[in-house]
Amino acid sequence: MSTFNFIASDTQLPEVDLTNVKRMTVKELKKLNPQARSPVPLDELDENLEVLYCESEEDMKGLTVSFCNNPPYNLDYHIKKKYVYWLRYDFTEKSTEQLMEYLQKNIKEIQQVEVWAITFGNKDDIYKVKDKRKIKLLDLTKGDLIELNSQGICIQISY
């Protein structure tokens, strides 16, 4: 079983990547950091091969919101909004603050956004949403967002 997080809206939302992961060629990486750790030694890789690189593990823990163009099977059972986005959110202080800022910046007066934590993999679990609540944006707390670490939650946030 796997739990995934989503943001859904009837209007488009901006995609963001607040990680510090960079896409570059092996040749560029060797110039930037010749001592970079890699599962395969850099000298054994094609210099034109594109790789992902970050300075530290902490750099990977930023918030990402990306359009869900390949949704899990039966996602539409729960989410009825027109636009659905993958939400990569690590439940750290940093990413919680980033998600809070993202929501405050992007929720408009006429809009309601849903933030979901849904478990897939067990056919019985997909049909269970244990907690669905409505919260005004002004009343939203970091604690509400951290609760998304549980399974089967939907928070409907409105302006």
Side-chain angles (χ1 to χ4, degrees):
M1 292 190 309
S2 298
T3 300
F4 297 100
N5 297 99
F6 303 93
I7 292 181
S9 175
D10 285 325
T11 59
Q12 287 184 311
L13 295 170
E15 295 182 65
V16 297
D17 182 350
L18 301 177
T19 64
N20 200 16
V21 177
K22 298 170 184 74
R23 187 177 296 271
M24 62 182 65
T25 65
V26 170
K27 184 177 182 175
E28 293 167 331
L29 177 54
K30 284 180 182 180
K31 286 180 185 177
L32 178 68
N33 183 355
Q35 306 303 319
R37 291 187 304 149
S38 170
V40 177
L42 295 179
D43 290 335
E44 295 179 20
L45 297 172
D46 180 324
E47 290 209 333
N48 296 316
L49 179 69
E50 196 169 75
V51 294
L52 299 176
Y53 173 74
C54 63
E55 293 284 330
S56 70
E57 231 178 278
E58 188 63 30
D59 286 340
M60 294 187 292
K61 295 183 180 179
L63 175 75
T64 60
V65 176
S66 58
F67 187 70
C68 184
N69 55 5
N70 187 17
Y73 177 73
N74 268 352
L75 181 65
D76 57 353
Y77 177 83
H78 290 299
I79 300 178
K80 307 296 185 208
K81 299 281 186 191
K82 184 175 179 179
Y83 298 96
V84 180
Y85 300 85
W86 294 104
L87 172 63
R88 195 176 139 267
Y89 169 56
D90 288 8
F91 306 99
T92 62
E93 181 70 27
K94 174 183 177 179
S95 61
T96 301
E97 183 65 38
Q98 290 172 334
L99 179 54
M100 192 75 149
E101 288 175 17
Y102 177 87
L103 293 169
Q104 289 170 344
K105 181 178 180 183
N106 294 297
I107 295 179
K108 309 294 182 221
E109 277 186 49
I110 58 172
Q111 185 178 33
Q112 181 190 69
V113 171
E114 297 175 344
V115 183
W116 291 84
I118 304 174
T119 301
F120 296 92
N122 180 339
K123 64 182 174 183
D124 296 330
D125 284 342
I126 191 168
Y127 299 106
K128 296 178 186 173
V129 172
K130 301 171 196 142
D131 189 8
K132 198 169 192 178
R133 62 183 95 141
K134 295 180 180 187
I135 300 176
K136 294 278 187 195
L137 182 59
L138 290 173
D139 298 328
L140 184 67
T141 67
K142 291 180 188 176
D144 294 321
L145 299 177
I146 289 172
E147 286 186 49
L148 290 167
N149 201 9
S150 303
Q151 301 170 4
I153 292 178
C154 173
I155 302 173
Q156 296 173 324
I157 307 164
S158 59
Y159 189 80

